[in-house]
Structure formats: C-alpha cells, structure tokens
C-alpha cells in the first residue's frame, strides 16, 4: 500500500497516511484515461453552431432567368449554394456531442488518475485546510509551503466558503469537492492537494 506524508498548512510533516491500494496503487490505464477525457470534453461542447440553408436565407423567390435561350447556365434561385449570399450546403446545425461512458470505465479512469498522481509524487495530503478569514495571501503562502506553486486542484472534505473564496483569485488553482471530481481535472492540474478527510471520502466513494 502506498504511504504519503501528511503536512500542515506551513509545510511541516505531521505524520503519514496509508492509501488504499485499490484506488491509489493500481497500474494507470492510459487508454481508459484518454477515453474519459475525450468523453468529458465532448460533453462540455455546446453544439450551438448553425448555418442557414437555401430555404432559410432571404430572397430568391423567383427564377432569375428563363430556362433556355440565354446562353447562360440554368438557375432556379439566386439563393442556391453557388450564389453569393446563397445558403450553405451541408453546413453545421445545432446538435449534441455528448455521449455516455460505461460506469466501470469511468471508475477505472479516475482510479488511474489518482494512482498516477501518487506515482509522479504529485499528491499532497494536508492534515486540515482552513481559513480564519477571506485572504488570498494565506492560500498563496500555503501553496508555496507545500510545493504546489504550479497548477493545482484542491480537494476539500467539506464546503468551506472562506477557503474556496480565498483560493478563487489564484490563477491555475481550482477547488473541488469529492463528489465533483473528474478524470480531466485530475490530469490537467499538476498537483492534487487534499485534506485527510477528503482522502477518506475518496476511498469510501471509489472503493
């Protein structure tokens, strides 16, 4: 079972925590993680792009010229696709890009993401993350103390508004609850910071 040091908010080691092998100690499956990220990004697409077809553009109610005898190519409407200001042939229309991923695949992907953070030594476990007031500087100092001055996702065991808002103005930092975690966020952020309570909840949810 993997073991990780537990720090306080000043970066001092206060103990150790043994992590679940089933969640933090598996061999990361890159193919499954790729599939989960693709699914997440597809589900975020709005799909609102739209072009006008020849039936939707204005004008073109009558035949521009007679069928025969002019020496020009026959035309039925000045709003056909080959005309300037004509309709678009086979253009995009509003659609949904979302699709569902097998539940077991999603679970394996997020476990692989957790395990990859442990393997890369990018998991930081903190005894407790707390804030006495709304101060961004406190959280900036905290991130520097635990060696997470790059992009980081902070997982909280409970919704603390002071902590969330103190992190909100720091570029490249996101706060999340255990039930809102996804594979994309775990992979796109360099460091995963979680308090001890969040680790316990993760092991309870994903065991």
């Amino acid at each position: 079972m993997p073991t990780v040091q537990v720090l306080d908010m000043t970066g001092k080691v206060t103990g150790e925590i043994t992590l679940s092998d089933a969640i933090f100690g598996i061999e990361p499956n890159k193919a499954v993680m790729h599939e989960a990220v693709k699914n997440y990004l597809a589900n975020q697409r709005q799909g609102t792009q739209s072009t006008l077809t020849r039936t939707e553009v204005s004008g073109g109610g009558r035949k521009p010229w007679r069928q025969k005898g002019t020496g020009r190519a026959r035309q039925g409407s000045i709003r056909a696709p080959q005309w300037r200001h004509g309709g678009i042939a086979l253009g995009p229309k509003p659609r949904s890009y979302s699709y569902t991923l097998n539940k077991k695949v999603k679970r394996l992907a997020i476990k692989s993401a957790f395990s990859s953070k442990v393997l890369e030594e990018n998991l930081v476990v903190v005894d407790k993350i707390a804030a006495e007031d709304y101060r961004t500087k406190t959280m900036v100092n905290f991130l520097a103390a635990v060696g997470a001055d790059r992009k980081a996702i902070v997982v909280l065991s409970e919704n603390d508004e002071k902590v969330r808002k103190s992190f909100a103005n720091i570029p490249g930092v996101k706060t999340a609850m255990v039930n809102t975690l996804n594979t994309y966020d775990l992979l796109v952020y360099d460091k995963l910071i979680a308090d001890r309570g969040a680790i316990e909840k993760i092991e309870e949810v994903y065991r």
Side-chain angles (χ1 to χ4, degrees), residues 45-57 88-97:
R45 294 184 69 173
Q46 289 185 325
T48 54
Q49 72 279 38
S50 183
T51 53
L52 300 179
T53 65
R54 62 184 293 170
T55 64
E56 294 167 321
V57 292
I88 302 296
L90 308 176
K93 281 293 184 184
R95 54 164 286 197
S96 171
Y97 289 89

Side-chain angles (χ1 to χ4, degrees), residues 129 136 138-144 146-156 163-176 185 188-194:
I129 302 172
T136 300
T138 303
M139 295 309 167
V140 170
N141 294 337
F142 159 62
L143 292 172
V146 298
D149 48 358
R150 296 174 295 167
K151 289 178 69 176
I153 181 167
V154 182
V155 185
L156 305 171
V163 171
R164 281 194 306 104
K165 290 194 173 180
S166 297
F167 276 117
N169 288 332
I170 306 174
V173 176
K174 177 179 180 177
T175 55
D185 280 345
V188 80
Y189 290 95
D190 297 323
K191 289 281 186 181
L192 169 61
I193 304 170

Side-chain angles (χ1 to χ4, degrees), residues 94-137:
R95 54 164 286 197
S96 171
Y97 289 89
S98 64
Y99 64 96
T100 54
L101 204 61
N102 187 299
K103 196 179 289 185
K104 287 183 179 179
V105 172
K106 287 173 76 173
R107 188 168 285 259
L108 176 59
I110 201 162
K111 286 180 179 180
S112 295
F114 283 131
S115 295
S116 68
K117 287 296 183 218
V118 175
L119 283 173
E120 295 161 5
E121 297 183 351
N122 282 329
L123 172 63
V124 178
V125 181
V126 183
D127 194 34
K128 185 174 176 60
I129 302 172
E132 293 181 2
D133 50 13
Y134 299 91
R135 281 186 65 83
T136 300
K137 188 177 180 181

